Amino acid sequence: MSAPVLAVLVCRDGESWLPGVLAALGEQSERPRRVLAVDTGSTDRTAELLAQARADQTVDDVLTLPPDTSFATAVADAVALGKRRWADPGRWLWLLDGASEPGPEQLADLLAAPDPSAVEVEPGKLIRRAAFERLERRPSPSPRENARGGFLSRGRFLRLLTSPIFVLSASLLAFALINALLTDRLGAGLAGGRLLPVADLATTWRDYLAAWHPVAGGTGSPASPSLLVLALLGSVLGGPSVVVSILLLFGVPLAGLSAYFAARALPVPPLRRAIAAGAYALLPVASLSAGQGRLDVVVAHVLVPPLLAGIAAVLRRSGRQWLGTVCLTALGLAVLGAFAPLMHLALIVLALLAHVLLPGENARSRHRVVGLAALVLLSVACLLPWPVVLLQHPQVLLHGFGARAVEQPAGAWMFALSPDGSAASLPGVLFVLAAAVALAVTRDKRMLPAVGVVIFGWLLAAAVDGSAAEPIAGGVATVGWTGGPLVLVAVGCGWIVLQAGRPKLPEVPQVVGIVALSAVVAGLVTSSAIALAGGPLGPERPLAAPAGTRLVLDPGPQPARLITGTGPRFGDDDLAPAGSAADWLRQVDEDLRSADPGPVREALAAVAARGAEFVVVPAGSRVPELGRDLVTEHQRLPDGRRILRVLLPSSPVKLVGPDLARQAQTEPEPAPEARPLPVAAQLPNFTVRVSEGGAGRALVLGAENEPGWYARVDGMAFPLATAWGHQVAIPLPEQAAEVQVGFTELPRTALLCVQAAAILFTLVAAIPGRRRKTTT
């Protein structure tokens, strides 16, 4: 049972007596609703003991104040913190310090006969919070005790400016702003590297919700869940492109803050936490990834530390806030999985390994098993229907999301936390060296979980670096980028260092320590700035390409793209092509690069059958001369590429006569001489009226024939056929009829409803609620 009491424990150098007081608080027959500890400038292990008590939930929170703080001021600051965090921390205040170790019935006795007139701010007292706040609002000659009613005193303001969290935040924010200004990236609309241009809010929502996408010849594959995250956040923050810019430009301060707060459960003073968080924020591999437009690594950099802390809390916690912790962690895992599916799976595996390997009195408790199951199931349910794609195309784990790219193996450089061996990323070895030194001088079994994270991260990086596969959208088989696993290694190294405590080493002059720390910080700042600035990320520079569908030949090793509208845009390369679309694009690309006019003309006819009106070729391409009467130059781009207009019928829907329809059933592609009749309709859903005609005619769609397409003739379901080996064909009757064609949205809509329900439940359950009041 808990009483409506806020216990305030004021400590200063309490290493000798603090364990006894904390144990006594846990043995109270009538427990306080909240316990706040205030550390007023301790120089011994008080901070570590309080951090451990907070992790064990003996103490709800810890407040650190300067050594000159009076007992009354410490209580006042604790009350203010309690009101900010919980609104109503309790109507009674129980004041404690080192000289007031309570007996097991002390709080119950004080509550049984409280003195309503007591207002003395002294240890061992139980006073009404309202009376204390009235006392604090009285005029006082001391500026420190004045203006408790909402004004910030000069002393508290100075403490705020010099607090570790403020210095950390301000420094990292300044770093991010200066870097963004110097690289001319400050603003929305970034693109480059693995980041394709991000669409506006309405288009992003439409791309995510659509059941069929006009990409690579059309596909019913579910869109990347990263579009949903960008659409939801963009609805609040000014658009998806703004969200992407915030992540890429301000990922450094976001990662620093997340790491600082994630380490709250460790018995570490705030200053050491801030230093470790600042070093982690400047992780070179994360800055290198941001400069290359790798959103997956940037999101992992920000989310991995708090998610590891959340998983640890789920494994350890079985109390009042168990469900909230599980749901909040599951929601974070889902966001991570929306951008970096490999890291999502890695953290789930780590959670299961920790459950099996780590001992503890609650290791097999029902709450832990149920919590882990909920963690996995909820995080996956929040990503529906996309996990189905992962089962069908596991190479997504290797390559992640983003524009297709050919990666270079990291090799042994991964042991220096460098994914490519570049000079700017090599200072990542400082994390490994710091962890190695900490392990050598402080052999503590508490470091074992962190060591396990480091080893697991390196094993994962080796697996990614040693496996090659073709990307989901087709293209050159390539290994993966090791940035995400190396972020996990860096988190483990930082965890090892924070667990090291204060080793007993020979005294080192303070100036030596300051110089060494300054050198490390300067090295990380310089390397991260160079890594971030050196990438291809920059303001989007849209080309004046014509509207409509076009085939674009890549000047590099990648196969051609079939683009509709303003694309390619963010999320297009994360869609799984339908049927043989990837093979078809590869073959067309090969034919168009041929020196023989025959394959070139056949490829142009195949491109027109898919509804492409234009072909974009590199500057030195021979397609214009080999294609002769099938293409004409439409426009030259500033980079030397040429846009060719296809002179064949190229609408997305065509009417073919009986003879051409019979050819379409047996031939892999139309002949260049074929002249179907264009139909004014747009995919995927349209209705047309056809007149009387010969038997055997058909409508042919410029889309892959895959499950989901349907046709109704005069309201009756009509069977579909295949044209040119892989396109949708609708046989037509001889008489006039109304033909309705579409792509069903029912399965995707059902899964989206399940996803919405999972997200809503997880979000509501993750919101911290007020504890139920219990009175005597």
Side-chain angles (χ1 to χ4, degrees):
M1 302 292 287
S2 64
V5 173
L6 171 63
V8 179
L9 175 59
V10 181
C11 312
R12 180 178 298 168
D13 294 333
E15 182 177 357
S16 60
W17 55 262
L18 188 55
V21 175
L22 292 174
L25 281 173
E27 295 172 356
Q28 294 295 304
S29 61
E30 190 78 23
R31 296 192 177 186
R33 177 182 299 167
R34 303 285 182 184
V35 179
L36 279 178
V38 184
D39 184 4
T40 57
S42 298
T43 59
D44 59 2
R45 293 184 60 251
T46 296
E48 297 182 19
L49 293 173
L50 290 178
Q52 187 60 49
R54 189 180 186 281
D56 297 338
Q57 296 184 309
T58 305
V59 171
D60 290 285
D61 209 343
V62 178
L63 179 64
T64 303
L65 296 177
D68 60 341
T69 305
S70 67
F71 186 85
T73 303
V75 174
D77 286 358
V79 172
L81 173 63
K83 292 176 64 177
R84 287 195 305 271
R85 284 202 57 185
W86 304 295
D88 180 17
R91 63 175 180 268
W92 294 95
L93 299 179
W94 188 23
L95 311 182
L96 301 166
D97 69 357
S100 54
E101 181 175 328
E105 301 295 332
Q106 183 164 337
L107 181 57
D109 294 340
L110 290 171
L111 287 169
D115 181 2
S117 64
V119 293
E120 295 88 351
V121 186
E122 297 176 1
K125 293 289 185 180
L126 184 70
I127 65 175
R128 289 187 182 274
R129 180 164 61 88
F132 174 79
E133 291 171 346
R134 286 195 300 271
L135 177 67
E136 284 297 301
R137 286 194 293 267
R138 290 177 190 176
S140 169
S142 170
R144 188 178 183 84
E145 304 295 337
N146 237 347
R148 290 286 177 189
F151 297 95
L152 191 63
S153 67
R154 183 175 61 181
R156 297 180 70 184
F157 181 68
L158 291 176
R159 291 202 304 274
L160 174 64
L161 292 181
T162 57
S163 64
I165 182 61
F166 182 85
V167 175
L168 173 70
S169 304
S171 302
L172 295 180
L173 184 61
F175 170 85
L177 282 172
I178 293 172
N179 202 292
L181 289 171
L182 291 178
T183 55
D184 192 28
R185 293 172 178 165
L186 192 61
L190 297 177
R194 289 212 70 190
L195 178 67
L196 291 173
V198 181
D200 57 41
L201 183 61
T203 304
T204 302
W205 273 116
R206 185 175 68 248
D207 287 349
Y208 180 71
L209 296 175
W212 184 86
H213 308 273
V215 175
T219 176
S221 171
S224 162
S226 57
L227 291 177
L228 175 61
V229 177
L230 294 183
L232 289 171
L233 295 179
S235 300
V236 178
L237 298 177
S241 63
V242 176
V243 178
V244 170
S245 296
I246 290 174
L247 287 172
L248 292 175
L249 300 181
F250 299 97
V252 168
L254 290 173
L257 290 175
S258 73
Y260 179 85
F261 288 109
R264 286 184 301 175
L266 299 178
V268 179
L271 180 59
R272 288 182 57 201
R273 274 199 289 144
I275 294 174
Y280 172 77
L282 296 169
L283 183 66
V285 64
S287 297
L288 186 71
S289 300
Q292 296 178 1
R294 300 178 187 271
L295 264 181
D296 52 347
V297 180
V298 173
V299 173
H301 188 215
V302 175
L303 291 183
V304 166
L307 288 178
L308 281 177
I311 290 171
V314 171
L315 293 172
R316 183 180 62 242
R317 181 171 294 175
S318 60
R320 294 163 290 187
Q321 298 181 353
W322 168 80
L323 180 60
T325 302
V326 170
C327 290
L328 185 61
T329 307
L331 196 63
L333 279 173
V335 174
L336 178 64
F339 292 92
L342 177 65
M343 299 307 297
H344 179 197
L345 179 61
L347 293 190
I348 288 177
V349 172
L350 274 176
L352 297 177
L353 288 175
H355 170 64
V356 173
L357 299 177
L358 294 183
E361 57 180 303
N362 295 323
R364 306 293 177 180
S365 68
R366 179 174 57 88
H367 277 94
R368 173 184 271 197
V369 175
V370 174
L372 286 175
L375 204 65
V376 175
L377 296 177
L378 285 176
S379 64
V380 172
C382 289
L383 296 173
L384 287 173
W386 181 83
V388 177
V389 178
L390 180 60
L391 296 176
Q392 298 171 342
H393 303 274
Q395 67 265 38
V396 176
L397 289 174
L398 183 64
H399 300 123
F401 293 144
R404 59 192 186 184
V406 180
E407 309 288 7
Q408 297 301 317
W413 293 114
M414 71 176 70
F415 294 104
L417 300 194
S418 172
D420 58 1
S422 60
S425 64
L426 287 180
V429 74
L430 293 172
F431 287 81
V432 181
L433 294 177
V437 171
L439 282 171
V441 300
T442 309
R443 298 174 182 176
D444 192 329
K445 65 179 182 180
R446 294 180 302 171
M447 294 179 173
L448 289 178
V451 173
V453 170
V454 171
I455 295 174
F456 181 83
W458 267 326
L459 289 175
L460 187 62
V464 170
D465 194 58
S467 306
E470 183 177 305
I472 186 174
V476 179
T478 177
V479 299
W481 177 260
T482 57
L486 294 184
V487 166
L488 191 60
V489 174
V491 174
C493 290
W495 188 3
I496 291 173
V497 172
L498 288 177
Q499 288 281 28
R502 297 182 180 179
K504 296 180 180 180
L505 296 176
E507 288 294 331
V508 177
Q510 186 176 10
V511 66
V512 176
I514 294 176
V515 170
L517 180 61
S518 301
V520 170
V521 171
L524 288 176
V525 168
T526 303
S527 63
S528 294
I530 295 174
L532 187 60
L537 184 70
E540 177 188 354
R541 294 179 176 85
L543 296 175
T549 302
R550 58 194 182 277
L551 184 84
V552 181
L553 297 188
D554 195 301
Q558 301 289 4
R561 288 180 181 271
L562 191 60
I563 299 170
T564 300
T566 60
R569 55 178 178 258
F570 182 84
D572 283 1
D573 282 357
D574 304 322
L575 293 166
S580 60
D583 295 332
W584 177 83
L585 280 170
R586 189 181 295 107
Q587 185 62 51
V588 166
D589 183 272
E590 181 180 332
D591 290 344
L592 289 176
R593 297 179 190 272
S594 170
D596 185 350
V600 172
R601 293 174 62 83
E602 291 174 357
L604 290 173
V607 167
R610 280 301 184 111
E613 304 170 62
F614 302 92
V615 176
V616 183
V617 298
S621 173
R622 299 187 60 192
V623 171
E625 58 184 271
L626 297 177
R628 295 194 299 275
D629 57 329
L630 300 184
V631 293
T632 182
E633 184 166 317
H634 175 77
Q635 181 183 351
R636 281 183 181 264
L637 297 175
D639 59 3
R641 290 183 296 169
R642 304 164 72 181
I643 299 180
L644 309 177
R645 178 182 289 276
V646 180
L647 300 179
L648 294 170
S650 54
S651 64
V653 183
K654 302 178 185 68
L655 177 64
V656 297
D659 293 338
L660 191 55
R662 283 191 291 271
Q663 293 180 22
Q665 293 177 5
T666 58
E667 299 295 327
E669 57 193 20
E673 297 77 20
R675 293 295 185 271
L677 180 64
V679 177
Q682 294 297 323
L683 301 179
N685 303 312
F686 64 90
T687 301
V688 295
R689 183 79 184 178
V690 296
S691 59
E692 294 182 3
R697 59 183 180 154
L699 286 178
V700 177
L701 312 186
E704 283 283 326
N705 192 351
E706 60 177 322
W709 287 102
Y710 66 87
R712 295 187 179 93
V713 177
D714 289 334
M716 302 293 292
F718 215 71
L720 300 179
T722 301
W724 312 124
H726 44 76
Q727 293 181 220
V728 181
I730 300 100
L732 298 177
E734 297 182 49
Q735 67 274 17
E738 182 180 77
V739 181
Q740 181 185 6
V741 179
F743 194 89
T744 181
E745 299 186 0
L746 183 60
R748 174 159 177 80
T749 302
L751 289 174
L752 287 177
C753 290
V754 175
Q755 180 195 34
I759 293 175
L760 184 61
F761 169 80
T762 308
L763 185 62
V764 172
I767 298 174
R770 294 175 60 183
R771 296 182 181 179
R772 185 175 59 185
K773 295 183 178 181
T774 305
T775 58
T776 57

